[in-house]
């Protein structure tokens, strides 16, 4: 269906009263993040970052399986429907889980093999080689009672500084603005909290570590935070406008830092890619082709963008779930998916995408879709409990 024949997006922003109350913000995340692959194919790329946009192991790091042998293809997912993270063999499925805290959301992977997990209770630290939780760091921000579900308080997006000395976590405060909390990764404690927008779905760090970016779903913006001074600056990102407020579906979800110039890439509805210069606050819009509601993203070292399509807002006008693979020159391949998904990461060799089926709204399922990026062939893999964030170990 051509653009001219479709109902306008703004015509579908305002929801009937009862439905708007039920949906509030239209949707929720999901690392994650954003969350992680390899130096050659990293999700929100900075030097040493994973495909989730979170810090990745150096090329010298080797993750060990419980039996002591190398397991370079093991995946780690957050179980938003449980209180665990699950280790996944892409060929065999789940191989074990570790309890981390209520409703884990995004995660980031350090060069030392520790995973940092944003839960409703605090930031969990997991030794991925030993497969055990090392710590649970409580938030400084008051998020109310610990709950589960799409609108629960607590950590959402999370990322590591390039040197691994700080973790940055977006903390959701139900009914109000959120916070970006700064974790000292050696002392295992929160040292600072910076005000950001509403429901910080995603957190990213610039390649040089000088800036941190919180993508705030319900306030149509990105908060740019100077890592040195922790001074915040708001940049509105609303290519469809802000009509509908909390009831709008047309809000930012996840961002990726483009390796070539440090600009932020935020896909909207499989129709528009917002390219945001965080230094000037200027946004340029480029066309996209999937025509579906989009959530998670990853970017490879060469600037290829992967964007997860969760499915239609309007079944009569939009297409179904998909994975968009967008080359640096703007050309796109759109691979259909079966059912909603949330986040994506890429294998170390750049040949395979792993897309989590957790989704933050109804329709989620307990597994991943494995996509061969050359052929577009895909298959489902049962693993985890409503998996959202994902990294490659």
């Amino acid at each position: 269906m051509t653009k001219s024949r479709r109902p306008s997006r703004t015509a579908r922003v305002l929801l009937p009263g009862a439905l708007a109350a039920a949906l509030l913000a239209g949707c929720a995340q999901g690392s994650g993040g954003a969350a992680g692959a390899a130096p050659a194919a990293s999700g929100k790329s900075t030097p040493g970052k994973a495909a989730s946009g979170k810090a990745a192991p150096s090329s010298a790091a080797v993750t060990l399986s419980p039996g002591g042998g190398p397991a370079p293809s093991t995946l780690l997912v957050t179980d938003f429907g449980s209180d665990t993270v699950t280790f996944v063999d892409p060929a065999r499925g789940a191989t074990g889980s570790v309890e981390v805290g209520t409703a884990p959301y995004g995660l980031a992977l350090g060069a030392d093999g520790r995973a940092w997990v944003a839960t409703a209770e605090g930031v969990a630290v997991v030794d991925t080689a030993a497969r055990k939780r090392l710590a649970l760091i409580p938030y400084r921000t008051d998020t109310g009672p610990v709950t589960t579900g799409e609108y629960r308080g607590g950590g959402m997006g999370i990322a590591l500084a390039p040197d691994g000395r700080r973790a940055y976590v977006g903390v959701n405060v139900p009914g109000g603005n959120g916070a970006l909390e700064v974790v000292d990764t050696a002392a295992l404690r929160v040292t600072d909290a910076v005000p950001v927008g509403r429901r910080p779905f995603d957190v990213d760090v610039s390649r040089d570590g000088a800036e941190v970016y919180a993508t705030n779903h319900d306030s149509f913006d990105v908060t740019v935070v100077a890592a040195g001074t922790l001074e915040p600056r708001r940049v509105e990102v609303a290519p469809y406008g802000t009509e509908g407020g909390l009831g709008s579906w047309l809000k930012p979800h996840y961002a990726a830092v483009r390796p070539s110039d440090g600009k932020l890439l935020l896909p909207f509805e499989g129709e528009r890619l917002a390219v945001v210069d965080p230094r000037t606050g200027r946004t340029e819009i480029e066309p996209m082709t999937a025509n579906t509601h989009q959530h998670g993203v990853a970017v490879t070292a060469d600037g290829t963008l992967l964007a997860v399509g969760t499915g239609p807002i309007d079944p009569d006008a939009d297409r179904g779930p998909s994975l968009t693979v967008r080359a640096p020159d703007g050309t796109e391949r759109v691979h259909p998916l079966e059912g909603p998904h949330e986040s994506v990461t890429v294998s170390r060799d750049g040949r395979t995408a792993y897309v989590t089926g957790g989704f933050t709204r109804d329709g989620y399922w307990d597994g991943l879709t494995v996509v061969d990026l050359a052929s577009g062939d895909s298959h489902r893999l049962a693993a985890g409990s409503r998996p959202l964030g994902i990294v490659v170990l």
Side-chain angles (χ1 to χ4, degrees):
M1 184 174 292
T2 64
K3 181 77 174 178
S4 61
R5 294 161 120 181
R6 295 181 50 210
S8 71
R9 288 285 183 186
T10 53
R12 288 183 280 145
V13 169
L14 295 178
L15 303 174
L19 181 57
L23 295 179
L24 285 180
C27 47
Q29 175 189 354
S31 315
S42 58
K44 296 169 185 172
S45 188
T46 65
K49 271 190 148 188
S52 60
K54 322 308 177 188
S58 69
S59 57
V62 177
T63 301
L64 299 180
S65 69
S73 298
T74 301
L75 309 170
L76 184 67
V77 299
T78 56
D79 295 322
F80 194 59
S82 183
D83 58 1
T84 56
V85 292
T86 293
F87 294 82
V88 183
D89 181 319
R92 298 185 293 122
T95 62
S97 297
V98 174
E99 184 175 331
V100 291
T102 304
Y105 199 86
L107 77 165
L109 183 66
D112 57 1
R114 291 188 296 174
W116 300 78
V117 186
T119 80
E121 302 174 56
V123 176
V125 187
V126 176
D127 182 329
T128 61
R131 297 195 176 188
K132 67 178 181 179
R133 191 181 78 178
L134 303 176
L136 181 64
I137 305 166
Y139 301 118
R140 177 180 295 186
T141 303
D142 182 6
T143 63
V146 174
T147 61
T148 62
E150 182 179 357
Y151 302 104
R152 66 118 173 99
M156 298 186 75
I158 188 168
L160 285 167
D163 62 9
R165 294 180 180 179
R166 287 178 168 180
Y168 301 97
V169 57
V171 178
N172 178 44
V173 178
N177 287 339
L180 181 76
E181 295 206 351
V182 183
V183 177
D184 182 318
T185 59
L188 298 179
R189 64 183 180 90
V190 174
T191 59
D192 294 282
V194 181
V196 297
R198 297 175 69 108
R199 291 176 74 208
F201 258 61
D202 196 17
V203 174
D204 295 275
V205 182
S206 65
R207 293 174 62 82
D208 60 5
E211 291 183 333
V212 185
Y213 312 115
T215 300
N216 309 303
H217 180 268
D218 285 3
S219 48
F220 298 89
D221 58 28
V222 171
T223 303
V224 179
V225 179
T229 64
L230 297 182
E231 287 293 320
R233 178 166 47 88
R234 178 182 185 268
V235 176
E236 184 174 285
V237 186
Y240 292 93
T242 60
E243 181 183 355
L246 293 180
S248 172
W249 287 81
L250 309 177
K251 293 179 287 194
H253 294 86
Y254 299 87
V257 180
R258 187 159 66 187
S260 61
D261 58 9
K263 292 183 179 180
L264 305 180
L265 306 177
L266 298 95
F268 285 77
E269 307 307 316
E271 294 181 335
R272 303 178 187 183
L273 179 68
V275 181
V276 180
D277 186 334
R279 291 163 291 278
T280 66
R282 294 187 58 185
T283 298
E284 298 179 353
I285 302 298
E286 299 177 5
M288 297 188 75
T289 61
N291 188 21
T292 188
H293 190 60
Q294 287 174 318
H295 275 207
V297 297
V299 67
T300 65
D302 70 354
T304 298
L305 178 70
L306 291 87
V308 179
T310 69
I313 294 174
D314 181 348
D316 294 328
D318 304 334
R319 299 191 184 104
S322 63
L323 176 66
T324 292
V325 181
R326 181 184 178 91
D329 65 2
T331 57
E332 294 185 345
R333 288 175 290 131
V334 179
H335 303 299
L337 298 174
E338 180 186 349
H341 292 68
E342 187 69 28
S343 301
V344 61
T345 191
V346 183
S347 62
R348 292 187 178 279
D349 61 11
R351 297 177 180 178
T352 308
Y354 305 104
V355 195
T356 58
F359 193 39
T360 49
R361 299 199 57 77
D362 290 342
Y364 62 85
W365 56 283
D366 296 336
L368 316 175
T369 294
V370 181
V371 182
D372 183 302
L373 293 175
S375 67
D377 293 341
S378 65
H379 66 273
R380 281 189 167 202
L381 181 69
S385 173
R386 196 176 180 176
L388 288 189
I390 182 168
V391 294
V392 174
L393 300 180

